[in-house]
Amino acid sequence: MARIAGVDIPDTKRGEIGLTYIFGIGINRARKILLEAGVDANIKVKDWSDEDQVKIRSIITETIKVEGVLKSEIQLSIKRLMDI
């Protein structure tokens, strides 16, 4: 299994579907990430090379807020709006 942003991506899924298992990444963003990394969206996760995984991982960590950071930001926004 590929591990990206602390999430295990299932091996049997296509790349664009597998990336949606990460909180904060939908199908459109997954397609953009794979296009930027130069990875075919229809290749299954188990067929990704180590270089492909490194490219995808670096794009996600450098440009997108996902998982814990995104969840905490959402919670702070909700709390701020409730205080208003």
Side-chain angles (χ1 to χ4, degrees):
M1 283 190 164
R3 187 164 181 84
I4 299 174
V7 178
D8 290 328
I9 308 295
D11 286 337
T12 58
K13 302 288 183 183
R14 291 185 308 130
E16 64 184 1
I17 301 300
L19 286 178
T20 62
Y21 280 68
I22 301 171
F23 183 79
I25 297 180
I27 191 73
N28 288 331
R29 187 169 279 178
R31 287 180 185 148
K32 289 178 185 176
I33 291 168
L34 292 174
L35 182 66
E36 187 176 336
V39 179
D40 185 16
N42 294 318
I43 294 176
K44 294 196 179 206
V45 174
K46 66 181 175 185
D47 296 330
W48 285 351
S49 68
D50 290 335
E51 295 173 5
D52 294 340
Q53 289 182 25
V54 169
K55 288 179 193 174
I56 293 168
R57 193 175 294 119
S58 67
I59 290 170
I60 290 173
T61 56
E62 292 172 3
T63 60
I64 302 171
K65 292 180 185 175
V66 292
E67 288 295 321
V69 175
L70 182 60
K71 288 179 183 179
S72 64
E73 186 176 306
I74 290 170
Q75 288 298 325
L76 288 173
S77 296
I78 291 171
K79 185 176 182 334
R80 180 182 54 83
L81 290 173
M82 287 175 60
D83 290 341
I84 292 175

